[in-house]
Amino acid sequence: MTARIRIRIRAGEHPPRPASAPRVRPWLALGLLAVTLTGCGIRSTQVPTDFGPAPSRVPCSQSAPDITSQSAPGIPVQVFLLCSGQLVAVGRSVDVPEGTPDAERRVLVAQGLLDELSEQPSGAEDKADYETDVQTGLTVDGPLPGDPEDTLRLSVPPGKLTEYALSQIVCTFADSAAAEGDGSVTLGGPAPEPLRRYECTADVRSDPGSEKPPSTEVETS
């Protein structure tokens, strides 16, 4: 038998309120949340969160100008180094005596660029992950009889260079006073190595290791 409970309510009285869940203070709720996060292995923190500055070692970005290249005497030039699988231009300088004839000047600039390409990157460049694939000891000469006047002949046939090294040389020469300034350069090796006109394209700059720069054969007289 179920017992019945009767509650008499006198006039002017209100019926009793049902029991409700206790209220949680806001500061207490935050404390409970912090304990929960800590138990899950997540450290609590205040909002907004500051994660601090970005890492100082950023590929292809020098944190400070290269003092050595800035203070070096000579003509300001650019060479293309490898960084993050791409060709990136960096500043250098080449020493060319004043009054040098144009033909000789072209060769001197080309040799200076080769020397800079074969040098190991500076301290700031090395920290930014710059590197080079051009071997040391490379030399360059001007045209032989019957060659176009803008020809540059390397001491090593271009075809025997790595894709990276040839791309570095082609893009560096094509963007300098060593070439005609039209984005291409005529290269060959020691005679009787045939000549080819190589182009520095956007694809070569963005992916120099995929294949050698596009080229066309150059006829000699």
Side-chain angles (χ1 to χ4, degrees):
M1 177 181 296
T2 304
R4 295 181 179 179
I5 301 175
R6 295 182 179 181
I7 300 176
R8 294 183 178 181
I9 303 174
R10 298 180 180 179
E13 293 181 351
H14 297 284
R17 296 179 180 178
S20 58
R23 296 183 179 179
V24 180
R25 301 290 183 182
W27 58 268
L28 181 57
L30 291 176
L32 292 174
L33 177 61
V35 172
T36 302
L37 292 177
T38 303
C40 296
I42 303 175
R43 294 184 179 180
S44 61
T45 182
Q46 296 181 351
V47 178
T49 300
D50 182 9
F51 293 98
S56 58
R57 185 182 178 91
V58 180
C60 309
S61 176
Q62 299 180 56
S63 59
D66 188 359
I67 304 299
T68 303
S69 63
Q70 282 190 344
S71 60
I75 302 173
V77 294
Q78 287 187 330
V79 298
F80 282 89
L81 298 182
L82 300 169
C83 191
S84 295
Q86 301 179 353
L87 293 182
V88 182
V90 298
R92 290 289 191 271
S93 63
V94 173
D95 189 16
V96 178
E98 294 185 6
T100 302
D102 290 343
E104 185 179 349
R105 178 188 180 89
R106 184 194 302 272
V107 176
L108 288 177
V109 170
Q111 184 62 59
L113 293 172
L114 268 184
D115 294 340
E116 293 295 335
L117 283 172
S118 63
E119 288 281 343
Q120 289 301 313
S122 65
E125 292 164 352
D126 182 63
K127 290 181 180 179
D129 291 340
Y130 284 88
E131 57 184 349
T132 183
D133 204 48
V134 179
Q135 66 191 62
T136 59
L138 282 179
T139 59
V140 60
D141 288 319
L144 296 174
D147 291 346
E149 63 179 7
D150 62 343
T151 297
L152 294 172
R153 286 189 173 269
L154 301 173
S155 56
V156 173
K160 292 187 177 181
L161 297 172
T162 66
E163 285 82 356
Y164 288 110
L166 183 58
S167 296
Q168 285 184 258
I169 293 173
V170 167
C171 288
T172 297
F173 282 176
D175 195 39
S176 72
E180 296 296 330
D182 60 353
S184 65
V185 60
T186 301
L187 293 178
E193 180 75 17
L195 302 177
R196 301 192 69 84
R197 191 161 192 86
Y198 294 88
E199 296 182 41
C200 177
T201 63
D203 290 339
V204 173
R205 295 192 187 199
S206 63
D207 192 10
S210 60
E211 58 185 18
K212 294 184 183 293
S215 63
T216 55
E217 188 175 351
V218 176
E219 295 183 359
T220 59
S221 58

